[in-house]
Protein backbone atom coordinates (compact mmCIF):
# COMPACT_ATOMS: atom_id res chain seq x y z
CA UNK A 1 0.00 0.00 0.00
CA UNK A 2 1.42 3.37 -0.99
CA UNK A 3 1.48 6.36 1.31
CA UNK A 4 -1.14 9.11 0.98
CA UNK A 5 0.86 11.75 -0.81
CA UNK A 6 -1.66 14.46 -1.61
CA UNK A 7 -2.05 13.35 -5.20
CA UNK A 8 -3.12 9.73 -5.39
CA UNK A 9 -5.58 7.67 -3.40
CA UNK A 10 -4.99 4.67 -1.15
CA UNK A 11 -7.30 1.66 -1.29
CA UNK A 12 -8.24 0.64 2.24
CA UNK A 13 -10.44 -2.33 1.36
CA UNK A 14 -11.89 -3.81 -1.79
CA UNK A 15 -14.52 -6.49 -2.34
CA UNK A 16 -16.57 -7.92 -5.15
CA UNK A 17 -20.32 -7.75 -4.71
CA UNK A 18 -21.57 -11.23 -5.59
CA UNK A 19 -25.11 -12.37 -6.25
CA UNK A 20 -24.75 -15.80 -4.71
CA UNK A 21 -23.60 -19.09 -6.15
CA UNK A 22 -20.16 -20.62 -6.48
CA UNK A 23 -17.15 -19.44 -8.41
CA UNK A 24 -16.23 -21.27 -11.59
CA UNK A 25 -12.69 -22.34 -12.37
CA UNK A 26 -11.43 -21.01 -15.71
CA UNK A 27 -9.61 -24.24 -16.57
CA UNK A 28 -12.81 -26.26 -16.14
CA UNK A 29 -14.58 -23.99 -18.61
CA UNK A 30 -11.70 -24.17 -21.09
CA UNK A 31 -11.61 -27.97 -20.91
CA UNK A 32 -15.37 -28.21 -21.45
CA UNK A 33 -15.03 -26.00 -24.52
CA UNK A 34 -12.03 -27.98 -25.74
CA UNK A 35 -14.00 -31.20 -25.31
CA UNK A 36 -16.68 -29.93 -27.66
CA UNK A 37 -13.96 -29.00 -30.15
CA UNK A 38 -12.46 -32.50 -29.96
CA UNK A 39 -9.18 -31.49 -28.33
CA UNK A 40 -9.73 -31.87 -24.59
CA UNK A 41 -6.74 -34.17 -24.04
CA UNK A 42 -4.38 -31.90 -25.98
CA UNK A 43 -5.50 -28.72 -24.18
CA UNK A 44 -5.38 -30.48 -20.82
CA UNK A 45 -1.85 -31.68 -21.58
CA UNK A 46 -0.77 -28.14 -22.43
CA UNK A 47 -2.11 -26.59 -19.24
CA UNK A 48 -0.64 -29.40 -17.12
CA UNK A 49 2.77 -28.76 -18.71
CA UNK A 50 3.02 -32.13 -20.43
CA UNK A 51 2.76 -30.97 -24.06
CA UNK A 52 3.14 -27.55 -25.67
CA UNK A 53 1.97 -28.65 -29.10
CA UNK A 54 -1.40 -26.93 -28.70
CA UNK A 55 -0.10 -23.67 -27.25
CA UNK A 56 -1.77 -21.51 -29.91
CA UNK A 57 -5.17 -23.16 -29.49
CA UNK A 58 -4.95 -23.08 -25.69
CA UNK A 59 -4.05 -19.40 -25.59
CA UNK A 60 -6.75 -18.62 -28.12
CA UNK A 61 -9.33 -20.44 -26.00
CA UNK A 62 -8.24 -18.40 -22.99
CA UNK A 63 -8.63 -15.16 -24.96
CA UNK A 64 -12.04 -16.28 -26.19
CA UNK A 65 -13.11 -17.02 -22.61
CA UNK A 66 -12.09 -13.47 -21.70
CA UNK A 67 -14.19 -12.06 -24.54
CA UNK A 68 -17.19 -14.15 -23.46
CA UNK A 69 -16.82 -13.08 -19.83
CA UNK A 70 -16.61 -9.41 -20.83
CA UNK A 71 -19.64 -9.72 -23.11
CA UNK A 72 -21.66 -11.26 -20.29
CA UNK A 73 -20.60 -8.53 -17.85
CA UNK A 74 -21.07 -5.56 -20.17
CA UNK A 75 -24.23 -6.61 -22.00
CA UNK A 76 -26.22 -8.78 -19.60
CA UNK A 77 -25.10 -9.35 -16.01
CA UNK A 78 -23.06 -6.48 -14.52
CA UNK A 79 -20.25 -7.27 -12.12
CA UNK A 80 -19.99 -4.97 -9.10
CA UNK A 81 -17.17 -4.07 -6.74
CA UNK A 82 -16.86 -1.80 -3.73
CA UNK A 83 -13.64 0.04 -2.90
CA UNK A 84 -12.95 2.02 0.26
CA UNK A 85 -10.32 4.68 -0.39
CA UNK A 86 -8.54 7.57 1.29
CA UNK A 87 -7.77 10.63 -0.79
CA UNK A 88 -6.22 13.95 0.22
CA UNK A 89 -7.64 15.79 -2.79
CA UNK A 90 -10.89 14.00 -3.61
CA UNK A 91 -9.50 12.98 -6.98
CA UNK A 92 -9.85 9.24 -7.60
CA UNK A 93 -8.05 7.96 -10.68
CA UNK A 94 -9.82 5.00 -12.27
CA UNK A 95 -6.42 3.34 -12.69
CA UNK A 96 -6.15 3.23 -8.88
CA UNK A 97 -9.32 1.17 -8.45
CA UNK A 98 -9.00 -2.54 -7.73
CA UNK A 99 -10.91 -3.36 -10.94
CA UNK A 100 -11.46 -1.54 -14.22
CA UNK A 101 -14.67 0.49 -13.68
CA UNK A 102 -17.18 0.97 -16.47
CA UNK A 103 -19.99 2.60 -14.48
CA UNK A 104 -20.13 4.34 -11.11
CA UNK A 105 -23.12 3.29 -9.02
CA UNK A 106 -22.66 5.50 -5.98
CA UNK A 107 -20.12 7.20 -3.75
CA UNK A 108 -20.51 7.35 0.05
CA UNK A 109 -18.69 9.00 2.94
CA UNK A 110 -17.51 7.44 6.21
CA UNK A 111 -21.03 7.71 7.68
CA UNK A 112 -22.44 5.80 4.72
CA UNK A 113 -24.16 8.88 3.32
CA UNK A 114 -24.38 9.14 -0.46
CA UNK A 115 -22.29 12.12 -1.58
CA UNK A 116 -22.11 13.98 -4.89
CA UNK A 117 -19.26 13.44 -7.33
CA UNK A 118 -18.18 14.59 -10.77
CA UNK A 119 -17.01 12.25 -13.52
CA UNK A 120 -14.07 13.00 -15.77
CA UNK A 121 -12.61 10.79 -18.54
CA UNK A 122 -9.90 9.27 -16.31
CA UNK A 123 -11.02 10.00 -12.76
CA UNK A 124 -13.88 11.09 -10.52
CA UNK A 125 -13.86 14.00 -8.09
CA UNK A 126 -15.53 13.69 -4.69
CA UNK A 127 -14.90 14.94 -1.16
CA UNK A 128 -11.40 14.57 0.24
CA UNK A 129 -10.83 11.94 2.91
CA UNK A 130 -12.59 8.59 3.16
CA UNK A 131 -14.89 7.53 0.32
CA UNK A 132 -16.58 4.26 -0.57
CA UNK A 133 -17.23 3.74 -4.27
CA UNK A 134 -19.55 1.09 -5.66
CA UNK A 135 -19.12 0.48 -9.37
CA UNK A 136 -19.65 -1.95 -12.20
CA UNK A 137 -16.45 -3.26 -13.73
CA UNK A 138 -15.15 -5.23 -16.67
CA UNK A 139 -13.36 -8.53 -15.97
CA UNK A 140 -9.59 -8.68 -16.27
CA UNK A 141 -7.74 -11.21 -18.43
CA UNK A 142 -7.44 -14.50 -16.57
CA UNK A 143 -5.01 -17.38 -16.44
CA UNK A 144 -6.24 -20.97 -16.50
CA UNK A 145 -5.61 -21.23 -12.73
CA UNK A 146 -7.92 -18.31 -11.93
CA UNK A 147 -11.62 -18.32 -11.17
CA UNK A 148 -14.25 -16.56 -13.22
CA UNK A 149 -15.54 -13.26 -11.86
CA UNK A 150 -19.02 -14.73 -12.07
CA UNK A 151 -20.59 -16.63 -9.21
CA UNK A 152 -23.62 -18.39 -10.61
CA UNK A 153 -26.35 -20.57 -9.24
CA UNK A 154 -26.86 -22.00 -12.74
CA UNK A 155 -24.72 -24.10 -15.07
CA UNK A 156 -21.39 -22.64 -16.20
CA UNK A 157 -22.27 -23.69 -19.75
CA UNK A 158 -23.17 -20.11 -20.59
CA UNK A 159 -19.45 -19.23 -20.56
CA UNK A 160 -18.55 -22.47 -22.34
CA UNK A 161 -20.93 -21.58 -25.16
CA UNK A 162 -19.62 -18.02 -25.24
CA UNK A 163 -16.04 -19.26 -25.44
CA UNK A 164 -16.92 -21.62 -28.29
CA UNK A 165 -18.75 -18.86 -30.15
CA UNK A 166 -15.74 -16.54 -29.96
CA UNK A 167 -13.34 -19.35 -30.92
CA UNK A 168 -15.33 -20.32 -34.01
CA UNK A 169 -15.67 -16.69 -35.10
CA UNK A 170 -11.93 -16.14 -34.68
CA UNK A 171 -11.17 -19.16 -36.85
CA UNK A 172 -13.73 -18.49 -39.57
CA UNK A 173 -15.94 -21.44 -38.65
CA UNK A 174 -19.13 -19.54 -39.38
CA UNK A 175 -21.55 -22.46 -39.49
CA UNK A 176 -20.31 -23.75 -36.15
CA UNK A 177 -20.38 -20.19 -34.79
CA UNK A 178 -24.08 -19.93 -35.68
CA UNK A 179 -24.79 -23.07 -33.64
CA UNK A 180 -22.91 -21.79 -30.57
CA UNK A 181 -24.39 -18.34 -30.98
CA UNK A 182 -27.88 -19.76 -30.55
CA UNK A 183 -26.82 -21.85 -27.53
CA UNK A 184 -25.09 -18.79 -26.04
CA UNK A 185 -28.13 -16.55 -26.49
CA UNK A 186 -30.54 -19.18 -25.19
CA UNK A 187 -28.42 -19.81 -22.09
CA UNK A 188 -27.94 -16.08 -21.45
CA UNK A 189 -31.68 -15.49 -21.82
CA UNK A 190 -32.38 -18.25 -19.29
CA UNK A 191 -29.73 -16.92 -16.92
CA UNK A 192 -31.07 -13.39 -17.16
CA UNK A 193 -34.59 -14.66 -16.51
CA UNK A 194 -33.53 -16.52 -13.36
CA UNK A 195 -31.39 -13.64 -12.09
CA UNK A 196 -33.70 -10.84 -13.32
CA UNK A 197 -30.65 -9.07 -14.68
CA UNK A 198 -30.67 -5.54 -16.04
CA UNK A 199 -28.39 -4.03 -18.63
CA UNK A 200 -26.10 -1.27 -17.46
CA UNK A 201 -27.56 2.19 -17.78
CA UNK A 202 -25.80 4.64 -20.06
CA UNK A 203 -25.75 7.78 -17.90
CA UNK A 204 -22.55 7.05 -15.99
CA UNK A 205 -20.62 4.83 -18.41
CA UNK A 206 -16.91 5.62 -18.33
Amino acid sequence: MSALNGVGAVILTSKKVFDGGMNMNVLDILLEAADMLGMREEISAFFSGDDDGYERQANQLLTCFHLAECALALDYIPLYAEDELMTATGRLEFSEFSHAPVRIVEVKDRLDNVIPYTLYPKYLKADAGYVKVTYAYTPSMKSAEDESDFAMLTSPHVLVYGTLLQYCLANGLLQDAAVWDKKWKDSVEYLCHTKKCKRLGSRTWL
Side-chain angles (χ1 to χ4, degrees):
M1 180 181 295
S2 60
L4 190 62
N5 56 19
V7 178
V10 174
I11 295 180
L12 302 177
T13 65
S14 175
K15 67 177 181 180
K16 296 176 182 177
V17 184
F18 289 121
D19 192 23
M22 59 182 295
N23 288 85
M24 298 176 293
N25 183 267
V26 173
L27 181 58
D28 291 341
I29 295 170
L30 296 181
L31 292 180
E32 284 296 316
D35 188 52
M36 295 182 184
L37 293 168
M39 52 182 181
R40 184 187 184 101
E41 290 185 7
E42 293 84 354
I43 297 300
S44 178
F46 171 77
F47 283 118
S48 63
D50 296 332
D51 187 354
D52 61 0
Y54 274 69
E55 180 178 5
R56 181 186 66 82
Q57 293 91 333
N59 288 333
Q60 191 175 44
L61 274 174
L62 190 57
T63 298
C64 290
F65 164 80
H66 175 64
L67 293 174
E69 196 178 40
C70 287
L72 192 59
L74 297 177
D75 293 335
Y76 300 101
I77 304 176
L79 292 166
Y80 295 102
E82 183 180 273
D83 286 2
E84 297 181 52
L85 308 101
M86 283 293 294
T87 168
T89 63
R91 175 169 171 153
L92 302 170
E93 300 281 347
F94 297 132
S95 60
E96 296 175 327
F97 284 45
S98 56
H99 306 280
V102 292
R103 184 173 67 90
I104 303 300
V105 176
E106 64 182 10
V107 180
K108 292 185 176 182
D109 62 16
R110 188 180 294 276
L111 298 177
D112 223 29
N113 298 312
V114 175
I115 59 175
Y117 61 91
T118 304
L119 284 176
Y120 295 92
K122 295 184 178 181
Y123 65 95
L124 70 81
K125 192 76 163 68
D127 294 342
Y130 169 96
V131 291
K132 180 167 64 178
V133 184
T134 303
Y135 58 96
Y137 68 92
T138 185
S140 61
M141 186 70 185
K142 307 288 192 305
S143 71
E145 292 76 26
D146 291 330
E147 292 183 334
S148 169
D149 280 64
F150 286 96
M152 297 180 181
L153 295 172
T154 57
S155 168
H157 281 165
V158 60
L159 285 173
V160 175
Y161 297 150
T163 300
L164 287 164
L165 169 60
Q166 296 296 334
Y167 185 88
C168 290
L169 288 174
N171 288 280
L173 305 172
L174 300 185
Q175 289 186 330
D176 290 341
V179 173
W180 296 120
D181 182 56
K182 184 178 187 308
K183 290 182 178 291
W184 157 261
K185 289 177 178 176
D186 288 347
S187 62
V188 167
E189 181 179 356
Y190 174 77
L191 186 59
C192 283
H193 176 73
T194 58
K195 296 178 76 66
K196 298 180 180 179
C197 58
K198 297 180 180 179
R199 291 181 180 237
L200 291 175
S202 60
R203 185 177 65 86
T204 51
W205 274 87
L206 305 179

